Amino acid sequence: MSKEITSRVTDYSQWYNDIVVKADLAEHSAVRGCMVIKPHGYAIWEKMQSILDRMFKDTGHSNAYFPLFIPKSYFSKEASHVDGFATECAVVTHYRLKNDGNGNIIVDENAKLEEELIVRPTSETIIWNTYKGWIESYRDLPILVNQWANVVRWEMRTRLFLRTAEFLWQEGHTAHATKEEAIEESERMLHVYADFVENWMAVPVVRGRKSANERFAGALETYCIEALMQDGKALQAGTSHFLGQNFAKAFDVKFTGRDGKLEHVWATSWGVSTRLIGALIMAHSDDSGLVIPPKLAPIQVVIVPIYKGTEELEVISSFVTELIVKLKAKGIAVKYDDRDTQRPGFKFAEYEMKGVPVRIAIGKRDMENGTVEVARRDTKTKLTVMQDGLEIYLQQLLEEIQQNLFDRALNFRDSHITKADSYEQFKTLLDEKGGFISAHWDGTPETEQRIKEETKATIRCIPLDNPQEDGVCILTGKPSVQRVLFARAY
C-alpha cells in the first residue's frame, strides 16, 4: 500500500493528498470545494471533539446551538467584521423551487426572500443579536457558551481538511462584565487549545498574539497557537479573540453594573476546526501512511491472527478474547481482525496505512511459546513479547509512543526556529530551510505587507513569552524591541 503514496521529498502536497485518500480519511464530494469525511476520519474528529468538549465544560462552558442562516443586515452592523468575510460568503436569495413545465427544476422567481440570508461563515453577529435578549444586568454575566457546528467560507482553492468550502468546528462566544475578565477568558482558552494540541495531538505549538494585519476581523486582539509541519510551513492550529465591546456596541448589548450604571458588555470568541486533522497528518505521518498519536487513535491496538485451519484460529481467538477484556479494562481501544477474506500481509499494510499505533500478530508458534509479535507504527520496530502481563506492557507502550511522537515533532520544530538579522539572510533561510524565522520587525502593517508580498512569509505570531531585545527591522532598519516569528504557512 505504501507504494501508492508519493514520497514527502518528491511532492509534499501530493504526499498529503495521498494519505488523506489512501488512509480512508476523506474524499472530494460532488459539491465543488466540499469534502466527505469518511468513517475513519470522522472517528478521529469525534475523539478530538469529545476531549475538547470535556475541557470546555471543565472550564465552565456550556453548549448551545444557533441558526445556520444569518440576515445580511447583521453583517453590516460591524464594518470590520463584514470586510473580513465579504468575499467568502454564500448567500441565499430564494426559498422555493418549481418545475418549469419541461421537466426541469428551476428557482421560483416569485419566492425571493425579503432579505438575503448568509450561510454562517462564523456566528458572532447572530449570537450577539441573541445575547441582547439574554443580558440585562451584571447578574446575567458571564455567559460562557460554545457551539459545535459547520460553517461555510467560499474558498476557491481547496485542500481536504486544510481548506474547504464547508468544514466542522467549534466556536466559543462569551460575554463578560469587564475588560479584564474578557482578556482572561481569551488567554485561558488559548492555553486550553495549546494543552490539547501538545498533550493529545503530540504537536508542539508556539503561543502568541497576531499582528494587526493577521487579527480576526472585528477583534482587538487575536491570540493563536502556531505549529510547524514537516515541510517547514506553519499552520495556525487555534485562535482565541478578545473582541472588546465591538459586537456589544454593534448590537446594543448593555448591562446594568453593580454601581447601577449602564455599559456595554465585553466579548470573546475562540475556535478550532477539522483543520486539526490536517495538522495531525502533516506533523507525524510518513511515506508509509498515516501516523496517529495513541490518545487520538480510534483503534489503538489491532490484533491479527495468523493461522491455518479452524482449530488454530479457535485457540488464538480464545486467548484474544481474554486479552481484549484486559485491554478494555485499561481503557485501550482494541480491534481483533479475524476476517477470512484478507491475508495477514494485506491487513498489516492496511493498518500501517491507517496509522494504528500498535499491531499484534499471533500465530501457532506464538501460542506454543506464550508470546506475541508487537509492531510499533511510529518506529516500525517489531518485538517478541510475552503474553503474560501483555496488557500492562501495551499500556506503557502506548504512553511511550505518544511521548516519542511529541519529542520527535518538538526536536524538528526547535531545529527549525532560526534567527535572521538581515533581509537577505531572511530570504535565504525561507528558501533553503523554511520553518520559523525569528527576526526584528518595525511594528508597521506596511512593512509586514511588503515582506509578505515579496517572500510569501507572514508574521505567524508575537510569542507570549517573547524576550525584549533591541535590534533593527530586517527590511527598513528602523528600531525594534523584540523579534517575531515569520513563516510561510498553510
Side-chain angles (χ1 to χ4, degrees):
M1 279 191 174
S2 61
K3 293 179 181 178
E4 301 173 10
I5 294 180
T6 303
S7 165
R8 282 170 294 181
V9 176
T10 303
D11 188 335
Y12 192 85
S13 179
Q14 188 58 50
W15 166 81
Y16 172 82
N17 290 334
D18 287 347
I19 287 182
V20 172
V21 174
K22 302 296 182 183
D24 254 358
L25 298 176
E27 62 185 32
H28 294 285
S29 77
V31 181
R32 185 180 180 278
C34 295
M35 65 177 170
V36 174
I37 304 176
K38 301 180 78 172
H40 188 45
Y42 199 81
I44 296 172
W45 176 243
E46 283 183 314
K47 292 273 283 191
M48 291 179 167
Q49 187 180 37
S50 65
I51 295 159
L52 283 165
D53 196 65
R54 188 185 69 238
M55 295 173 85
F56 298 156
K57 288 172 180 172
D58 285 347
T59 47
H61 301 83
S62 300
N63 289 332
Y65 187 81
F66 298 86
L68 173 66
F69 302 113
I70 302 172
K72 187 180 71 173
S73 59
Y74 287 15
F75 279 85
S76 62
K77 292 185 178 183
E78 217 294 330
S80 60
H81 186 67
V82 72
D83 284 346
F85 291 101
T87 60
E88 300 175 349
C89 289
V91 185
V92 179
T93 58
H94 291 74
Y95 61 86
R96 189 167 60 220
L97 302 174
K98 70 176 182 179
N99 192 308
D100 68 355
N102 296 315
N104 301 311
I105 300 298
I106 62 173
V107 174
D108 186 343
E109 65 277 4
N110 296 317
K112 189 174 183 179
L113 293 170
E114 290 185 15
E115 179 181 1
E116 293 93 339
L117 297 173
I118 310 301
V119 182
R120 172 176 58 215
T122 182
S123 297
E124 277 79 6
T125 56
I126 190 73
I127 286 178
W128 277 90
N129 183 74
T130 304
Y131 282 177
K132 183 177 181 179
W134 292 8
I135 299 169
E136 291 184 358
S137 83
Y138 69 90
R139 296 180 183 87
D140 300 318
L141 298 171
I143 293 177
L144 306 176
V145 164
N146 173 64
Q147 172 176 236
W148 291 98
N150 62 335
V151 293
V152 171
R153 296 181 185 175
W154 212 255
E155 300 281 359
M156 299 308 294
R157 296 181 179 179
T158 59
R159 295 187 69 186
L160 295 171
F161 290 115
L162 294 178
R163 198 173 294 278
T164 50
E166 178 193 15
F167 54 90
L168 305 181
W169 79 346
Q170 59 73 211
E171 48 180 323
H173 296 273
T174 69
H176 303 267
T178 68
K179 175 182 179 181
E180 291 72 23
E181 285 180 14
I183 292 174
E184 183 182 357
E185 165 77 2
S186 303
E187 294 177 347
R188 178 188 300 112
M189 299 318 295
L190 177 78
H191 296 309
V192 167
Y193 288 151
D195 179 9
F196 171 74
V197 174
E198 292 193 334
N199 294 312
W200 294 85
M201 291 179 60
V203 177
V205 297
V206 178
R207 310 175 196 208
R209 294 179 292 110
K210 288 289 188 184
S211 63
N213 278 6
E214 295 292 322
R215 278 183 202 143
F216 176 72
L220 299 185
E221 194 78 82
T222 288
Y223 301 91
C224 62
I225 51 173
E226 293 286 329
L228 194 65
M229 304 296 98
Q230 292 181 74
D231 64 344
K233 287 186 179 179
L235 186 140
Q236 180 179 284
T239 52
S240 180
H241 316 289
F242 169 55
L243 302 175
Q245 295 174 309
N246 289 350
F247 286 91
K249 289 177 178 177
F251 291 89
D252 195 31
V253 185
K254 298 177 181 177
F255 74 102
T256 303
R258 292 178 183 273
D259 57 3
K261 295 180 180 178
L262 199 63
E263 61 178 299
H264 287 99
V265 178
W266 297 85
T268 81
S269 67
W270 30 272
V272 294
S273 74
T274 38
R275 168 176 263 234
L276 289 179
I277 297 178
L280 183 148
I281 295 166
M282 291 195 292
H284 299 306
S285 300
D286 57 27
D287 288 352
S288 296
L290 183 65
V291 175
I292 311 176
K295 286 185 177 182
L296 290 179
I299 303 169
Q300 295 171 308
V301 175
V302 63
I303 304 171
V304 178
I306 302 174
Y307 62 94
K308 291 181 180 178
T310 307
E311 255 183 61
E312 287 186 15
L313 178 60
E314 287 178 351
V315 173
I316 294 170
S317 295
S318 178
F319 164 73
V320 170
T321 299
E322 294 181 8
L323 176 61
I324 287 174
V325 172
K326 294 175 183 177
L327 293 177
K328 287 185 175 180
K330 291 194 171 295
I332 296 173
V334 57
K335 177 179 179 178
Y336 180 39
D337 189 346
D338 59 353
R339 290 176 294 171
D340 60 6
T341 55
Q342 303 292 351
R343 298 179 65 83
F346 177 91
K347 296 176 185 179
F348 293 170
E350 179 182 15
Y351 293 115
E352 180 176 75
M353 178 71 77
K354 290 188 172 183
V356 175
V358 175
R359 185 187 74 235
I360 296 175
I362 309 176
K364 178 184 177 182
R365 185 172 296 178
D366 294 301
M367 292 306 300
E368 292 171 349
N369 296 334
T371 61
V372 299
E373 180 188 80
V374 176
R376 290 176 55 157
R377 178 63 185 86
D378 61 330
T379 60
K380 296 185 181 178
T381 54
K382 297 178 184 178
L383 288 173
T384 299
V385 178
M386 299 304 296
Q387 293 178 4
D388 186 38
L390 183 58
E391 69 280 7
I392 297 172
Y393 173 83
L394 291 173
Q395 185 180 42
Q396 294 171 343
L397 180 61
L398 290 169
E399 292 172 358
E400 183 181 325
I401 293 171
Q402 182 80 26
Q403 188 62 48
N404 179 55
L405 289 175
F406 178 80
D407 291 343
R408 194 161 70 184
L410 180 62
N411 289 336
F412 177 84
R413 196 276 307 272
D414 287 352
S415 68
H416 286 77
I417 300 178
T418 315
K419 288 184 177 180
D421 294 312
S422 72
Y423 198 38
E424 288 307 312
Q425 184 187 16
F426 177 84
K427 290 186 286 186
T428 299
L429 284 169
L430 276 175
D431 291 336
E432 296 182 0
K433 184 178 181 180
F436 290 120
I437 311 298
S438 178
H440 281 280
W441 162 59
D442 63 17
T444 68
E446 293 77 17
T447 297
E448 181 181 6
Q449 184 61 29
R450 182 179 158 192
I451 291 173
K452 179 179 180 179
E453 290 172 355
E454 294 180 0
T455 68
K456 296 183 179 178
T458 56
I459 295 175
R460 302 316 304 161
C461 71
I462 304 164
L464 294 183
D465 58 355
N466 226 19
Q468 298 299 291
E469 173 192 299
D470 289 335
V472 295
C473 174
I474 54 169
L475 181 65
T476 65
K478 294 179 181 178
S480 166
V481 296
Q482 62 180 344
R483 293 176 183 268
V484 299
L485 290 185
F486 289 85
R488 291 178 177 141
Y490 286 94

